[in-house]
Structure formats: structure tokens, C-alpha cells
Amino acid sequence: LPICTAGSCPSDAGPTTSNTGAGLSSFFNEITANVVYQAPGISSPRSGSTPIHLLFGAAGWMDQTLDDVGTGRHPAGYNGLSSLVDSNYGQHVFFINTAGHVCQWSAAPYSTGCEQQWVFQDITANTPPIGTQTWMADSGGAIASFSDANGAYHVVAVGIDGYVILLSFDPTPGSWTGTPFESVAQQVSPGSGLSGIVDTNGLFVFYIATDNSVHVLHNANADFNLTAN
């Protein structure tokens, strides 16, 4: 796959094959389809360790290494990936790094051209702790994300204690807050996925508990066993 239109962007001989143990995510930014994947671990002057790649179809499929933007200083662990476009068409890619921090790459709304400027943020480090909860995630665990019509967006991950954590960004104050569930939910079954949605009734987070039953966390009903009902 070409990296960009010849002569218009920096060259990059990065891989375009995905690691079989890594996550995959996709989103549409109102102009082009985008696929996020994690390449096999490499070491090069521009990128180091398990870099995250973005395939996008602006003018034929092109490949951009997001870690190149940050000079490879924010390596991802092999885990799930998640992505979304917020209500203002901002683009977001979420992952858990090798230290167990929930992180994101974000970019302004896409217009034209090839490589975009992506900005790194350590979400775990930018979310105020609640008691002993510091929003550390299982570096090999699942991650999911979703947005709402008010411009907020939310990231769901499995904490290091095995319980779901919800991290939410409110664009009005421009800050992150966290919601812990260890007091109301069951632990997440190791290796299982997560999902979340929002509708007029509020936020819904779905997970598989250690007894293999499907549960939903909702702000009007702390934990509900869907399998048993």
C-alpha cells in the first residue's frame, strides 16, 4: 500500500501487515473509511515497538503510522483497539499502552490530503483518581469506546483489579472523569470483550462476567444480568 501521494508526505517504509494477536478497529469520518491496526513489533529510527497504524481511503488506501507522529515514545501493548468520530467530527483512536495506561491518539476533522497530525494523550494520567482507583487498565485486556450527541465520548476498559472502568471526556470543561464499578459489578471474564452505547435512556456498558453471563451496567441500574433474564 502507498503511504501517501508521491512527493506530498514524508516517506515511511513501515509495515502494513497486522499482528495476529492484536486488535482491529474502524470508523468513518464523513469523508473516508479508516481502519486501525497494530503492526508486529519493530525498531527503527522513526518508530519503536508495536506501532499503531491507520489505513484510510482518501485516494486509494494509504497507510500512516500514528506512533511516528509521537516519535515512537508511546508504544502500545498487544491488546484491543477502539476508535470513534465525535459529534464535532474529531477523530479518536484508543488503546492501552505497555504500562497499563489508557491512551488516545486524536486528530482534527479530516478534510483532504494524506498524513494527518495526530496528538497523543495519556487518559489515565489525565483522569483524577477516586480513592485508590487510579484508572490503570489490564494491558492485555479489551477496550471499547462510544460517543454521545452532546460531544462527550467514553472509553471502557478492564481495570487491573478485573472490574470495568469507564472514562468519560466532557468537552465543556475539557476534562476527563472516571467511574468505577468494583462495588456493584462482577469481575470481567479474562479475555472477553467489552462494548458500550448511549441512547436517550443513558449509558450502557456490556461485559461478560466470570460466570460467563452477559451483564449490562447502566446509570439507572447498576448491574443487570442479561443472561439470567
Side-chain angles (χ1 to χ4, degrees):
L1 291 174
I3 300 304
C4 286
T5 303
S8 63
C9 294
S11 62
D12 184 341
T16 55
T17 56
S18 177
N19 184 282
T20 56
L24 183 73
S25 185
S26 61
F27 62 95
F28 183 72
N29 59 18
E30 302 300 316
I31 295 177
T32 179
N34 298 263
V35 181
V36 184
Y37 70 97
Q38 200 170 349
I42 62 172
S43 178
S44 74
R46 295 189 67 201
S47 183
S49 181
T50 61
I52 295 174
H53 280 241
L54 174 72
L55 293 171
F56 58 104
W61 286 95
M62 301 180 187
D63 185 283
Q64 179 177 359
T65 307
L66 300 191
D67 288 346
D68 280 1
V69 182
T71 65
R73 292 178 294 181
H74 312 289
Y78 282 123
N79 52 53
L81 294 170
S82 188
S83 57
L84 60 81
V85 173
D86 64 38
S87 61
N88 295 313
Y89 306 108
Q91 304 170 92
H92 306 269
V93 173
F94 303 99
F95 66 97
I96 303 169
N97 72 9
T98 51
H101 285 217
V102 179
C103 302
Q104 77 162 327
W105 288 103
S106 62
Y110 180 75
S111 55
T112 58
C114 46
E115 287 193 350
Q116 306 168 72
Q117 182 63 47
W118 289 79
V119 178
F120 174 82
Q121 183 183 37
D122 185 330
I123 298 173
T124 293
N126 283 275
T127 304
I130 297 177
T132 59
Q133 176 59 264
T134 57
W135 318 113
M136 296 291 291
D138 176 4
S139 61
I143 189 170
S145 61
F146 55 99
S147 60
D148 62 39
N150 297 318
Y153 45 91
H154 313 271
V155 184
V156 184
V158 181
I160 56 175
D161 57 3
Y163 293 94
V164 172
I165 56 174
L166 172 66
L167 304 173
S168 302
F169 181 81
D170 185 338
T172 301
S175 59
W176 288 90
T177 57
T179 303
F181 293 103
E182 60 263 29
S183 63
V184 296
Q186 295 188 34
Q187 288 182 309
V188 176
S189 178
S192 64
L194 296 169
S195 184
I197 59 172
V198 60
D199 67 12
T200 55
N201 295 309
L203 306 179
F204 298 83
V205 174
F206 303 94
Y207 72 99
I208 300 174
T210 51
D211 62 0
N212 293 324
S213 59
V214 178
H215 285 241
V216 58
L217 297 162
H218 179 233
N219 48 339
N221 188 337
D223 189 60
F224 187 75
N225 188 328
L226 292 174
T227 299
N229 290 273

Coordinates of all heavy atoms in Angstrom, one line a residue, residues 95-177:
F95 N -6.2 3.0 23.0 CA -5.5 1.8 23.2 C -5.0 1.8 24.6 O -5.1 2.8 25.4 CB -4.4 1.6 22.2 CG -3.2 2.7 22.4 CD1 -2.1 2.4 23.1 CD2 -3.4 3.9 21.8 CE1 -1.1 3.3 23.2 CE2 -2.4 4.9 21.9 CZ -1.2 4.6 22.6
I96 N -4.5 0.7 25.1 CA -3.8 0.5 26.4 C -2.3 0.3 26.2 O -2.0 -0.6 25.4 CB -4.4 -0.6 27.2 CG1 -6.0 -0.5 27.3 CG2 -3.8 -0.7 28.6 CD1 -6.7 -1.7 27.8
N97 N -1.5 1.2 26.8 CA -0.1 1.0 26.5 C 0.5 -0.1 27.4 O -0.1 -0.7 28.2 CB 0.6 2.4 26.6 CG 0.8 2.9 28.0 OD1 0.5 2.2 29.0 ND2 1.3 4.1 28.2
T98 N 1.8 -0.3 27.2 CA 2.5 -1.4 27.8 C 2.6 -1.2 29.4 O 2.8 -2.1 30.1 CB 3.9 -1.6 27.3 OG1 4.6 -0.3 27.3 CG2 3.9 -2.1 25.9
A99 N 2.4 0.0 29.8 CA 2.4 0.3 31.3 C 1.0 0.2 31.9 O 0.8 0.5 33.1 CB 2.9 1.7 31.5
G100 N 0.0 -0.1 31.1 CA -1.4 -0.2 31.6 C -2.2 1.1 31.6 O -3.2 1.2 32.3
H101 N -1.7 2.1 30.9 CA -2.4 3.4 30.8 C -3.3 3.4 29.6 O -2.9 3.0 28.5 CB -1.4 4.5 30.7 CG -0.7 4.8 32.0 ND1 -0.4 6.1 32.4 CD2 -0.3 4.0 33.0 CE1 0.2 6.1 33.5 NE2 0.3 4.9 33.9
V102 N -4.6 3.8 29.8 CA -5.5 4.1 28.7 C -5.0 5.3 28.0 O -4.8 6.4 28.6 CB -6.9 4.2 29.2 CG1 -7.9 4.5 28.0 CG2 -7.4 2.9 30.0
C103 N -4.9 5.2 26.7 CA -4.3 6.4 25.9 C -5.1 6.6 24.7 O -6.0 5.8 24.3 CB -2.9 6.1 25.5 SG -1.7 5.7 26.9
Q104 N -4.9 7.8 24.1 CA -5.6 8.0 22.8 C -4.7 8.8 21.9 O -3.8 9.6 22.3 CB -6.9 8.8 23.0 CG -6.7 10.3 23.3 CD -8.0 11.1 23.1 OE1 -8.8 10.8 22.2 NE2 -8.2 12.1 23.9
W105 N -4.9 8.6 20.6 CA -4.4 9.5 19.5 C -5.6 10.2 19.0 O -6.7 9.6 18.8 CB -3.8 8.7 18.4 CG -2.4 8.1 18.7 CD1 -2.2 6.8 19.0 CD2 -1.2 8.8 18.8 NE1 -0.8 6.6 19.2 CE2 -0.2 7.8 19.1 CE3 -0.8 10.1 18.6 CZ2 1.2 8.1 19.3 CZ3 0.6 10.4 18.8 CH2 1.5 9.4 19.1
S106 N -5.6 11.5 18.9 CA -6.7 12.3 18.4 C -6.3 13.2 17.3 O -5.1 13.6 17.2 CB -7.4 13.1 19.5 OG -6.5 14.0 20.1
A107 N -7.2 13.5 16.3 CA -6.9 14.4 15.2 C -8.1 15.2 14.9 O -9.3 14.8 15.2 CB -6.5 13.6 14.0
A108 N -7.9 16.4 14.4 CA -9.0 17.3 14.0 C -9.8 16.6 12.9 O -9.4 15.6 12.3 CB -8.4 18.6 13.5
P109 N -11.0 17.1 12.6 CA -11.8 16.6 11.5 C -11.0 16.5 10.2 O -10.3 17.4 9.8 CB -13.0 17.6 11.4 CG -13.1 18.2 12.7 CD -11.7 18.2 13.3
Y110 N -11.2 15.3 9.5 CA -10.4 15.1 8.3 C -11.0 16.0 7.2 O -12.2 16.1 7.0 CB -10.5 13.6 7.9 CG -9.8 13.3 6.6 CD1 -8.4 13.3 6.6 CD2 -10.5 13.1 5.4 CE1 -7.7 13.0 5.4 CE2 -9.8 12.8 4.3 CZ -8.4 12.8 4.3 OH -7.7 12.5 3.1
S111 N -10.1 16.5 6.3 CA -10.6 17.3 5.2 C -10.1 16.6 3.9 O -10.8 15.9 3.2 CB -10.1 18.8 5.3 OG -8.7 18.8 5.4
T112 N -8.8 16.9 3.6 CA -8.2 16.2 2.4 C -6.8 15.9 2.7 O -6.2 16.3 3.7 CB -8.3 17.2 1.2 OG1 -7.6 18.4 1.5 CG2 -9.7 17.5 0.8
G113 N -6.1 15.3 1.7 CA -4.7 15.0 1.9 C -4.4 13.7 2.4 O -5.3 12.8 2.5
C114 N -3.1 13.5 2.8 CA -2.7 12.2 3.3 C -2.5 12.2 4.8 O -3.4 12.3 5.6 CB -1.6 11.7 2.5 SG -0.3 12.9 2.2
E115 N -1.2 12.2 5.2 CA -1.0 12.1 6.7 C -1.6 13.3 7.4 O -1.4 14.5 7.1 CB 0.5 12.0 6.9 CG 1.1 10.7 6.6 CD 2.5 10.5 7.1 OE1 3.1 11.5 7.6 OE2 3.0 9.4 7.1
Q116 N -2.3 13.0 8.5 CA -2.9 14.0 9.4 C -2.0 14.1 10.6 O -1.2 13.2 11.0 CB -4.3 13.5 9.8 CG -5.2 13.2 8.6 CD -6.4 12.5 9.0 OE1 -7.3 13.1 9.6 NE2 -6.5 11.2 8.8
Q117 N -2.2 15.2 11.3 CA -1.4 15.4 12.6 C -2.2 14.8 13.7 O -3.3 15.3 14.1 CB -1.2 16.9 12.8 CG -0.4 17.2 14.1 CD 1.0 16.6 14.0 OE1 1.7 16.8 13.0 NE2 1.4 16.0 15.1
W118 N -1.7 13.8 14.3 CA -2.4 13.1 15.5 C -1.7 13.5 16.8 O -0.4 13.6 16.8 CB -2.4 11.6 15.3 CG -3.3 11.2 14.2 CD1 -3.1 11.2 12.9 CD2 -4.6 10.6 14.4 NE1 -4.1 10.7 12.2 CE2 -5.1 10.3 13.1 CE3 -5.4 10.3 15.5 CZ2 -6.3 9.8 12.9 CZ3 -6.6 9.8 15.3 CH2 -7.1 9.5 14.0
V119 N -2.4 13.8 17.8 CA -1.9 14.2 19.1 C -2.1 13.1 20.1 O -3.2 12.5 20.3 CB -2.6 15.5 19.6 CG1 -2.0 15.9 20.9 CG2 -2.4 16.6 18.5
F120 N -1.0 12.8 20.9 CA -1.1 11.7 21.9 C -1.6 12.3 23.2 O -1.3 13.4 23.6 CB 0.3 11.1 22.1 CG 0.3 10.1 23.3 CD1 -0.1 8.8 23.1 CD2 0.8 10.6 24.5 CE1 0.0 7.9 24.2 CE2 0.9 9.7 25.6 CZ 0.4 8.4 25.4
Q121 N -2.4 11.5 24.0 CA -2.8 11.9 25.3 C -2.9 10.6 26.2 O -3.4 9.6 25.8 CB -4.2 12.6 25.4 CG -4.6 13.0 26.8 CD -6.0 13.6 26.8 OE1 -6.9 13.2 26.1 NE2 -6.1 14.6 27.7
D122 N -2.3 10.7 27.4 CA -2.4 9.6 28.4 C -3.7 9.9 29.2 O -3.7 10.8 30.1 CB -1.1 9.7 29.3 CG -1.1 8.5 30.3 OD1 -2.2 8.0 30.7 OD2 0.0 8.1 30.6
I123 N -4.7 9.2 28.9 CA -6.0 9.4 29.6 C -5.9 9.0 31.0 O -6.5 9.7 31.9 CB -7.1 8.6 28.9 CG1 -7.3 9.1 27.4 CG2 -8.4 8.8 29.6 CD1 -8.2 8.3 26.6
T124 N -5.3 7.9 31.3 CA -5.2 7.5 32.8 C -4.5 8.6 33.6 O -5.0 8.9 34.7 CB -4.3 6.2 32.8 OG1 -5.1 5.1 32.2 CG2 -4.0 5.8 34.3
A125 N -3.4 9.2 33.1 CA -2.7 10.2 33.8 C -3.5 11.5 33.9 O -3.3 12.3 34.8 CB -1.4 10.5 33.1
N126 N -4.5 11.7 33.0 CA -5.3 13.0 33.0 C -6.7 12.8 33.6 O -7.5 13.7 33.5 CB -5.4 13.5 31.6 CG -4.1 14.2 31.1 OD1 -3.9 15.3 31.3 ND2 -3.3 13.4 30.4
T127 N -6.9 11.7 34.3 CA -8.2 11.4 34.9 C -8.0 11.4 36.4 O -7.2 10.6 36.9 CB -8.8 10.1 34.5 OG1 -8.9 10.1 33.1 CG2 -10.2 9.9 35.1
P128 N -8.6 12.4 37.2 CA -8.4 12.4 38.6 C -8.7 11.1 39.3 O -9.8 10.5 39.0 CB -9.3 13.6 39.1 CG -9.5 14.4 37.9 CD -9.5 13.4 36.7
P129 N -7.9 10.6 40.2 CA -8.2 9.4 40.9 C -9.4 9.5 41.9 O -9.7 10.6 42.3 CB -6.9 9.0 41.7 CG -6.3 10.4 41.8 CD -6.6 11.2 40.6
I130 N -10.0 8.4 42.2 CA -11.1 8.3 43.2 C -10.6 7.3 44.2 O -10.6 6.1 44.0 CB -12.4 7.9 42.6 CG1 -12.9 9.0 41.6 CG2 -13.5 7.8 43.7 CD1 -14.2 8.6 40.9
G131 N -10.2 7.8 45.4 CA -9.7 7.0 46.4 C -8.4 6.3 45.9 O -7.5 6.9 45.4
T132 N -8.4 4.9 45.9 CA -7.3 4.2 45.5 C -7.4 3.8 44.0 O -6.5 3.2 43.4 CB -7.1 2.9 46.3 OG1 -8.3 2.1 46.1 CG2 -6.9 3.2 47.7
Q133 N -8.5 4.2 43.3 CA -8.7 3.9 41.9 C -8.0 5.0 41.1 O -8.3 6.1 41.1 CB -10.2 4.0 41.6 CG -10.6 3.8 40.1 CD -10.1 2.5 39.6 OE1 -9.0 2.5 38.9 NE2 -10.9 1.4 39.8
T134 N -6.9 4.5 40.4 CA -6.1 5.4 39.6 C -6.3 5.1 38.1 O -5.5 5.6 37.3 CB -4.6 5.2 40.0 OG1 -4.2 3.8 39.8 CG2 -4.4 5.7 41.4
W135 N -7.3 4.3 37.7 CA -7.6 4.1 36.3 C -6.6 3.3 35.5 O -6.4 3.6 34.3 CB -8.0 5.4 35.6 CG -8.9 6.2 36.5 CD1 -8.5 7.4 37.0 CD2 -10.2 5.9 37.0 NE1 -9.6 7.9 37.8 CE2 -10.6 7.0 37.8 CE3 -11.1 4.8 36.8 CZ2 -11.8 7.0 38.5 CZ3 -12.3 4.9 37.4 CH2 -12.7 6.0 38.3
M136 N -5.8 2.5 36.2 CA -4.9 1.6 35.5 C -5.7 0.4 34.9 O -6.6 -0.1 35.5 CB -3.8 1.1 36.5 CG -2.9 2.2 37.0 SD -1.8 2.9 35.8 CE -0.7 1.5 35.5
A137 N -5.3 0.0 33.7 CA -6.0 -1.0 32.9 C -5.2 -2.2 32.7 O -3.9 -2.2 32.8 CB -6.5 -0.4 31.6
D138 N -5.8 -3.3 32.5 CA -5.2 -4.6 32.1 C -4.5 -4.4 30.7 O -5.3 -4.2 29.7 CB -6.2 -5.7 32.1 CG -5.6 -7.0 31.6 OD1 -4.4 -7.1 31.3 OD2 -6.4 -8.0 31.5
S139 N -3.2 -4.4 30.6 CA -2.5 -4.0 29.4 C -2.8 -5.1 28.2 O -2.6 -4.8 27.1 CB -1.0 -3.9 29.6 OG -0.5 -5.1 30.0
G140 N -3.3 -6.2 28.6 CA -3.7 -7.2 27.6 C -5.2 -7.3 27.4 O -5.7 -8.2 26.7
G141 N -5.9 -6.4 28.0 CA -7.4 -6.5 28.0 C -8.1 -5.8 26.9 O -7.5 -5.1 26.1
A142 N -9.4 -5.9 26.9 CA -10.2 -5.3 25.9 C -10.4 -3.8 26.2 O -10.3 -3.3 27.3 CB -11.6 -6.0 25.8
I143 N -10.8 -3.1 25.2 CA -11.2 -1.7 25.3 C -12.3 -1.4 24.3 O -12.3 -2.0 23.2 CB -9.9 -0.8 25.0 CG1 -10.2 0.7 25.3 CG2 -9.4 -0.9 23.6 CD1 -8.9 1.5 25.4
A144 N -13.2 -0.5 24.6 CA -14.3 -0.1 23.8 C -14.5 1.4 23.9 O -14.1 2.0 24.9 CB -15.5 -0.9 24.1
S145 N -15.2 2.0 23.0 CA -15.5 3.5 23.1 C -16.8 3.8 22.4 O -17.2 3.1 21.5 CB -14.3 4.3 22.5 OG -14.1 4.0 21.1
F146 N -17.4 4.9 22.8 CA -18.6 5.4 22.2 C -18.8 6.8 22.5 O -18.2 7.4 23.4 CB -19.8 4.5 22.6 CG -20.0 4.5 24.1 CD1 -21.0 5.3 24.7 CD2 -19.3 3.6 24.9 CE1 -21.2 5.2 26.1 CE2 -19.5 3.5 26.2 CZ -20.4 4.3 26.9
S147 N -19.6 7.5 21.7 CA -19.8 9.0 21.9 C -21.3 9.3 22.0 O -22.1 8.4 21.7 CB -19.2 9.8 20.7 OG -19.8 9.4 19.5
D148 N -21.6 10.5 22.4 CA -23.0 10.9 22.5 C -23.2 12.2 21.7 O -22.3 12.8 21.2 CB -23.5 11.0 24.0 CG -22.7 12.1 24.8 OD1 -22.4 13.2 24.2 OD2 -22.4 11.8 26.0
A149 N -24.5 12.6 21.6 CA -24.8 13.7 20.8 C -24.4 15.0 21.4 O -24.4 16.1 20.7 CB -26.3 13.7 20.6
N150 N -24.0 15.1 22.7 CA -23.6 16.3 23.3 C -22.1 16.6 23.2 O -21.6 17.5 23.7 CB -23.9 16.2 24.8 CG -25.4 16.1 25.1 OD1 -26.2 16.8 24.4 ND2 -25.8 15.3 26.0
G151 N -21.4 15.7 22.4 CA -20.0 16.0 22.2 C -19.1 15.2 23.1 O -17.9 15.2 23.0
A152 N -19.7 14.6 24.1 CA -18.8 13.8 25.1 C -18.5 12.4 24.4 O -19.2 11.9 23.5 CB -19.6 13.5 26.4
Y153 N -17.4 11.8 24.9 CA -17.1 10.5 24.4 C -16.5 9.7 25.6 O -16.1 10.2 26.6 CB -16.2 10.4 23.2 CG -15.0 11.4 23.3 CD1 -13.7 10.9 23.8 CD2 -15.1 12.6 22.8 CE1 -12.7 11.8 23.8 CE2 -14.0 13.5 22.8 CZ -12.8 13.1 23.3 OH -11.7 13.9 23.3
H154 N -16.7 8.4 25.5 CA -16.5 7.5 26.7 C -15.6 6.3 26.2 O -15.7 5.8 25.1 CB -17.8 7.0 27.2 CG -18.8 8.1 27.4 ND1 -18.9 8.8 28.6 CD2 -19.7 8.6 26.5 CE1 -19.9 9.7 28.4 NE2 -20.4 9.6 27.2
V155 N -14.7 5.9 27.2 CA -13.9 4.7 26.9 C -14.1 3.7 28.0 O -14.1 4.1 29.2 CB -12.4 5.1 26.9 CG1 -11.5 3.9 26.6 CG2 -12.2 6.3 25.9
V156 N -14.2 2.5 27.7 CA -14.5 1.4 28.6 C -13.3 0.4 28.6 O -12.8 0.1 27.5 CB -15.7 0.6 28.3 CG1 -16.0 -0.4 29.4 CG2 -16.9 1.5 28.2
A157 N -12.7 0.1 29.7 CA -11.6 -0.9 29.8 C -11.8 -1.8 31.0 O -12.7 -1.5 31.8 CB -10.3 -0.1 29.8
V158 N -10.9 -2.7 31.1 CA -10.9 -3.6 32.3 C -9.7 -3.1 33.2 O -8.6 -3.1 32.8 CB -10.7 -5.1 31.9 CG1 -10.7 -6.0 33.2 CG2 -11.8 -5.5 30.9
G159 N -10.1 -2.8 34.5 CA -9.0 -2.3 35.4 C -8.1 -3.5 35.8 O -8.4 -4.6 35.6
I160 N -7.0 -3.1 36.4 CA -6.1 -4.1 36.9 C -6.6 -5.0 38.0 O -6.1 -6.1 38.2 CB -4.8 -3.5 37.4 CG1 -5.0 -2.5 38.5 CG2 -4.0 -2.8 36.2 CD1 -3.8 -1.9 39.1
D161 N -7.8 -4.6 38.6 CA -8.4 -5.5 39.6 C -9.5 -6.4 38.9 O -10.2 -7.1 39.6 CB -9.1 -4.6 40.7 CG -10.1 -3.6 40.1 OD1 -10.3 -3.6 38.9 OD2 -10.6 -2.8 40.9
G162 N -9.6 -6.3 37.6 CA -10.6 -7.2 36.9 C -12.0 -6.6 36.7 O -12.8 -7.3 36.2
Y163 N -12.2 -5.4 37.2 CA -13.5 -4.8 37.1 C -13.5 -3.7 36.0 O -12.5 -3.1 35.7 CB -13.9 -4.1 38.4 CG -14.2 -5.1 39.5 CD1 -13.2 -5.4 40.4 CD2 -15.4 -5.7 39.7 CE1 -13.4 -6.3 41.5 CE2 -15.6 -6.6 40.7 CZ -14.6 -6.9 41.6 OH -14.8 -7.8 42.6
V164 N -14.7 -3.5 35.4 CA -14.9 -2.5 34.4 C -14.6 -1.1 34.9 O -15.0 -0.7 36.0 CB -16.3 -2.5 33.8 CG1 -16.6 -1.3 32.9 CG2 -16.6 -3.8 33.1
I165 N -13.9 -0.3 34.1 CA -13.7 1.2 34.4 C -14.3 1.9 33.2 O -14.1 1.5 32.1 CB -12.3 1.6 34.7 CG1 -11.4 1.2 33.5 CG2 -11.8 1.0 36.0 CD1 -9.9 1.7 33.7
L166 N -14.9 3.1 33.5 CA -15.5 4.0 32.5 C -14.8 5.3 32.6 O -14.8 6.0 33.6 CB -17.0 4.1 32.6 CG -17.7 5.1 31.8 CD1 -17.6 4.7 30.3 CD2 -19.2 5.3 32.2
L167 N -14.2 5.8 31.5 CA -13.5 7.1 31.4 C -14.3 7.9 30.4 O -14.4 7.5 29.3 CB -12.0 6.9 31.0 CG -11.2 6.0 31.9 CD1 -9.8 5.7 31.4 CD2 -11.1 6.5 33.3
S168 N -14.7 9.1 30.9 CA -15.5 10.0 30.1 C -14.9 11.4 29.9 O -14.5 12.0 30.9 CB -16.9 10.1 30.7 OG -17.5 8.8 30.9
F169 N -15.0 11.9 28.7 CA -14.5 13.2 28.4 C -15.6 14.1 28.1 O -16.5 13.9 27.2 CB -13.6 13.2 27.1 CG -13.0 14.5 26.8 CD1 -11.9 15.0 27.5 CD2 -13.6 15.3 25.8 CE1 -11.4 16.3 27.2 CE2 -13.0 16.6 25.5 CZ -11.9 17.1 26.2
D170 N -15.7 15.2 28.9 CA -16.7 16.2 28.7 C -16.1 17.4 28.0 O -15.2 18.1 28.5 CB -17.3 16.7 30.1 CG -18.5 17.6 29.9 OD1 -18.6 18.3 28.9 OD2 -19.2 17.7 30.9
P171 N -16.5 17.8 26.8 CA -15.9 18.9 26.0 C -16.1 20.3 26.6 O -15.4 21.2 26.3 CB -16.5 18.8 24.6 CG -17.8 18.1 24.9 CD -17.6 17.2 26.0
T172 N -17.1 20.4 27.5 CA -17.4 21.7 28.0 C -16.3 22.2 29.0 O -15.7 23.3 28.8 CB -18.8 21.8 28.8 OG1 -19.8 21.4 27.8 CG2 -19.0 23.1 29.3
P173 N -15.9 21.4 30.0 CA -14.8 21.8 30.8 C -13.5 21.3 30.2 O -12.4 21.7 30.6 CB -15.0 21.1 32.2 CG -15.8 19.9 31.8 CD -16.7 20.3 30.6
G174 N -13.6 20.4 29.2 CA -12.4 19.8 28.5 C -11.6 18.9 29.4 O -10.4 19.0 29.4
S175 N -12.3 18.1 30.2 CA -11.6 17.2 31.1 C -12.2 15.8 31.2 O -13.3 15.6 30.8 CB -11.6 17.8 32.5 OG -13.0 18.0 33.0
W176 N -11.4 14.9 31.7 CA -11.8 13.5 31.9 C -12.3 13.2 33.3 O -11.7 13.8 34.3 CB -10.6 12.6 31.6 CG -10.2 12.5 30.1 CD1 -9.3 13.3 29.5 CD2 -10.8 11.6 29.2 NE1 -9.3 12.9 28.2 CE2 -10.1 11.9 27.9 CE3 -11.7 10.5 29.3 CZ2 -10.4 11.1 26.8 CZ3 -12.0 9.8 28.1 CH2 -11.4 10.1 26.9
T177 N -13.2 12.3 33.5 CA -13.7 11.8 34.8 C -13.8 10.3 34.6 O -14.0 9.8 33.5 CB -15.0 12.4 35.2 OG1 -16.0 12.1 34.2 CG2 -14.9 13.9 35.4

